[in-house]
Amino acid sequence: MTSSNEYGYNSWELVVTVDHQYEEEQKEFTLRVSGDLHIGGVMLKLVEQINLSRDWSDYALWWEQKKCWLLKTHWTLDKCGVQADAKLLFTTQHKMLRLCLPNMKTVRLKVSFSSVVFKAVSDICKTLNIRRSEELSLLKQSEDTLKKKKKKDKNNKEPVIEDILNLYNSPVISGSPASPGLYSKTMTPIYDPVNGTPVSSTITWFSDSPLTAPNCNILAFSHPNCSPETLAEMYQPRTLADKAKLNAGWLDSSRSLMEQGVQEDDQLLLRFKYYAFFDLNPKYDAVRINQLYEQARWAILLEEIDCTEEEMLIFAALQYHLSKLSLSSEAQDFTNESEVDEVEAALSNLEVTLEGGKMDNTLEDITDIPKLADNLRLFRPKKLTLKAFKQYWFVFKDTSVSYFKNKEAGQGEPIEKLNLKGCEVVPDVNVAGRKFGIKLLVPVADGMNEVYFRCDNENQYACWMAACVLAAKGKTMADSSYQPEVHKILSFLRMKNRTTSPQAVSDPESVDMKPERFVSPRYAKKYKSKQLAARILEAHQNVARMPLVEAKLRFIQAWQSLPEFGLTYYIVRFKGSKKDDLLGVSYNRLIRIDAATGDPITTWRFSSMKQWNVNWEIRQVAIEFDQNVSIAFTCLSADCKVVHEYIGGYIFLSTRSKDQNETLDEDLFHKLTGGQE
């Protein structure tokens, strides 16, 4: 027996399992420790006992029962609460993880399993060269989608060989100075702004990144679409409740991967979580724009977002155009300088609307705020009535629209004045049928009032629609974003406009075009292959001259124009309600939706939110708004933290501005999303 003087009265035995990276079996070591020994001392004792000369710098202690890392090496065992019954694992903090990217490619790379997910995603995005990592997060696939895949795999006799891009040499060590100037606006562009290929002379910027030029191309270029058979086998949400299940698996950004049960070599999805894309710049964002385009493309093909047949054909035409460009050598070689200048000019005019970001504060001339005045038709739905539009004289000023019996009555009192600040604006358009409508859902005390406007032509529609979109955000037509918004709407309408030409239908390329690759299975079943090919080629005439990056940006803009864009659904039960509802979370508002009909019941804007928190005992999210409005709900399709983080995350993103030089206030993010845990 050893004397008590030798070990002290408070010493005890601690068992630590050592996880050797290159050995199959884990070994156990027993250490004699006391409560006042700090974590760093335990690790030192352990390494001395292992007696192996190797780099232990990435190793740390993981406490299995408590599911937590012991990273504060200066804390004592007593302070951490570690006692003799604790099972500790001495393991690496960085482990291999398989990430399925938005373009359905899988990359395998080393990720920190001990950093919080917010930081881990930031490191992953540095490795993959995606700016604005705060817009992305990691998602665990829902069981429903995995069940469907397993069923399909059983039917397939041939094994599926997964196409994995291995980025082994990428130990992005948390906290390392990963070239802070990498994305600086003043540096040389790291991509050719026309075709998105990496500029070879600047590849040295990626000293800590395994992204060599060929790997970069895999992430920055679109690749030929999957076969219709593969598409038909993929999980497609049929109802809003199915869509809600897709969003259940977002990981908690404030906890590490290991704390959330993620094991080495597991597969997670890397996706754009927040639909507030800030500062999309073709010069620096080839990978980001391509992955965003791919996420939009798959959302449309798998019907995760609804669109009309006319819109589906536009998306199909753009995909066909992009697949042709990606396969042709022309996309790789833009040597004509004047052509490049034209494309640069087009791209600068095409700056994507920055939803959720602070716009530059333009000095509005208060004495001369523009106004619109014209004859439009109006319809207010009532129960059991047909849609009967009646013509009135409309005047749009500031953020309000008033209507009068006729132009002469325009100087007097209006029949009604609608304040559009905070309203929902939904396009109601069919270009082929010459229908240019605007559906407004105007918030009132007990829900939403529906109002329909009908315009006569494209130009009138674009001006009024842009005014409504800005007014909903609380901006007037004097804002600098008004004209770009009008142009964006007009260009989208022109893409929808069919220009039938005999060449389009008899194009020999339509023979091997495989149109089913470019539309969702529902539309593929509706038409014969030749009919579908002819219609896609017809729509393609409007986009045939677009360069590669512009076509991707147009696709993203068209996706942003869809009424359902940016809505993430959850099944919830509101306090005081006896039935389940759906909650739609968007970049600037929450929408309560009737689960049976899919109709919006009430909208609450984040701008009128005073405070929000979580009652962790009953897992209930409570939110207070202006004018003494308060709501509370429990989430049934996901953990309440997931929904709470979505709300706080969007509010965090709205604080970004261009003068921040792209540094993120991580503490503010956790404060806004933590739910006062």
Side-chain angles (χ1 to χ4, degrees), residues 131-132 134-135 185 272 274-281 285 288 292 352-360 560 653-662 664:
R131 288 197 313 154
R132 304 291 176 194
E134 68 276 11
E135 294 168 5
K185 291 281 165 55
F272 287 88
Y274 299 104
Y275 296 93
F277 316 125
F278 189 67
D279 183 31
L280 273 178
N281 188 326
D285 286 329
R288 184 174 167 220
L292 201 45
V352 174
T353 315
L354 305 175
E355 305 286 44
K358 283 184 182 171
M359 302 300 287
D360 297 333
Q560 287 176 307
L653 294 189
S654 72
T655 65
R656 297 180 296 180
S657 63
K658 283 193 176 181
D659 58 347
Q660 284 175 339
N661 199 19
E662 303 184 15
L664 284 176

Side-chain angles (χ1 to χ4, degrees), residues 39-78:
I39 299 296
V42 175
M43 288 161 71
L44 193 64
K45 269 194 167 194
L46 183 63
V47 170
E48 282 171 358
Q49 197 170 322
I50 295 167
N51 197 20
L52 258 179
S53 81
R54 57 172 300 176
D55 181 6
W56 297 101
S57 61
D58 191 38
Y59 275 72
L61 290 169
W62 165 256
W63 189 356
E64 188 58 48
Q65 297 107 311
K66 294 276 174 124
K67 295 270 181 238
C68 71
W69 287 93
L70 302 176
L71 298 174
K72 291 179 176 166
T73 51
H74 59 286
W75 278 25
T76 62
L77 292 173
D78 280 346

Side-chain angles (χ1 to χ4, degrees), residues 564-587:
E564 250 188 72
F565 168 78
L567 277 176
T568 307
Y569 299 101
Y570 290 99
I571 300 168
V572 298
R573 174 72 63 90
F574 277 90
K575 190 178 178 181
S577 175
K578 291 182 179 175
K579 67 182 184 71
D580 299 346
D581 283 308
L582 282 160
L583 183 74
V585 184
S586 181
Y587 75 96

Side-chain angles (χ1 to χ4, degrees), residues 460-476:
Q460 190 186 47
Y461 169 79
C463 292
W464 284 82
M465 183 67 177
C468 290
V469 168
L470 261 66
K473 297 176 192 171
K475 296 175 184 174
T476 70

Side-chain angles (χ1 to χ4, degrees), residues 272-563:
F272 287 88
K273 176 179 179 180
Y274 299 104
Y275 296 93
F277 316 125
F278 189 67
D279 183 31
L280 273 178
N281 188 326
K283 281 189 179 179
Y284 311 103
D285 286 329
V287 175
R288 184 174 167 220
I289 288 170
N290 186 57
Q291 295 299 330
L292 201 45
Y293 156 71
E294 288 284 352
Q295 185 159 328
R297 183 169 82 85
W298 284 106
I300 283 151
L301 290 177
L302 298 174
E303 295 189 16
E304 288 170 19
I305 185 167
D306 289 338
C307 64
T308 64
E309 191 171 311
E310 194 171 55
E311 287 159 347
M312 182 65 80
L313 288 169
I314 290 297
F315 289 124
L318 282 165
Q319 285 177 74
Y320 171 59
H321 180 60
L322 282 161
S323 68
K324 271 177 71 178
L325 278 183
S326 299
L327 293 169
S328 74
S329 57
E330 292 163 21
Q332 319 297 330
D333 183 30
F334 279 85
T335 49
N336 186 331
E337 282 196 29
S338 64
E339 191 176 337
V340 173
D341 290 343
E342 281 174 28
V343 173
E344 285 276 23
L347 287 171
S348 64
N349 291 336
L350 223 161
E351 199 159 67
V352 174
T353 315
L354 305 175
E355 305 286 44
K358 283 184 182 171
M359 302 300 287
D360 297 333
N361 290 328
T362 50
L363 285 171
E364 294 184 2
D365 184 352
I366 295 159
T367 57
D368 186 29
I369 290 179
K371 69 175 187 179
L372 288 173
D374 213 338
N375 283 312
L376 301 179
R377 283 162 293 153
L378 173 92
F379 164 67
R380 301 202 73 138
K382 290 173 188 160
K383 285 184 180 175
L384 306 170
T385 58
L386 295 168
K387 266 195 185 180
F389 282 88
K390 196 174 176 186
Q391 186 164 296
Y392 294 98
W393 177 255
F394 281 80
V395 175
F396 202 128
K397 191 158 187 187
D398 295 330
T399 57
S400 300
V401 63
S402 307
Y403 61 95
F404 306 83
K405 193 174 181 183
N406 50 41
K407 188 176 180 179
E408 289 69 37
Q411 302 304 318
E413 280 293 307
I415 297 167
E416 190 177 12
K417 184 177 182 179
L418 302 168
N419 184 4
L420 303 191
K421 204 171 176 180
C423 74
E424 296 287 319
V425 185
V426 183
D428 183 23
V429 175
N430 182 329
V431 177
R434 307 301 297 159
K435 171 184 161 189
F436 302 102
I438 302 169
K439 178 182 172 184
L440 296 172
L441 295 160
V442 185
V444 289
D446 57 344
M448 310 283 277
N449 266 348
E450 249 181 81
V451 184
Y452 288 81
F453 293 170
R454 187 66 64 83
C455 302
D456 296 329
N457 53 51
E458 289 100 326
N459 291 332
Q460 190 186 47
Y461 169 79
C463 292
W464 284 82
M465 183 67 177
C468 290
V469 168
L470 261 66
K473 297 176 192 171
K475 296 175 184 174
T476 70
M477 285 175 281
D479 193 270
S480 61
S481 59
Y482 175 67
Q483 283 306 327
E485 185 70 28
V486 173
H487 291 310
K488 189 179 96 173
I489 294 164
L490 277 172
S491 68
F492 189 37
L493 292 177
R494 284 188 196 116
M495 282 198 292
K496 287 182 174 185
N497 208 354
R498 289 195 204 162
T499 51
T500 312
S501 66
Q503 178 208 341
V505 184
S506 62
D507 195 320
E509 288 175 356
S510 63
V511 178
D512 60 350
M513 176 188 172
K514 294 181 182 157
E516 295 84 2
R517 289 180 171 193
F518 305 113
V519 296
S520 67
R522 182 159 58 99
Y523 284 106
K525 286 173 193 165
K526 198 173 173 183
Y527 295 100
K528 289 180 180 170
S529 192
K530 276 188 179 178
Q531 285 178 311
L532 200 55
R535 295 191 70 185
I536 292 171
L537 286 166
E538 199 179 300
H540 179 245
Q541 298 298 297
N542 292 324
V543 298
R545 298 183 65 80
M546 275 185 200
L548 192 78
V549 179
E550 186 182 337
K552 284 180 189 173
L553 286 172
R554 283 292 172 93
F555 194 100
I556 293 164
Q557 284 186 337
W559 175 47
Q560 287 176 307
S561 305
L562 298 177

Side-chain angles (χ1 to χ4, degrees), residues 95-113:
K95 300 175 188 293
M96 296 308 288
L97 189 67
R98 286 178 302 135
L99 289 177
C100 175
L101 303 182
N103 65 348
M104 299 295 179
K105 292 271 178 203
T106 301
V107 296
R108 194 162 174 267
L109 73 170
K110 268 198 173 168
V111 176
S112 171
F113 273 58

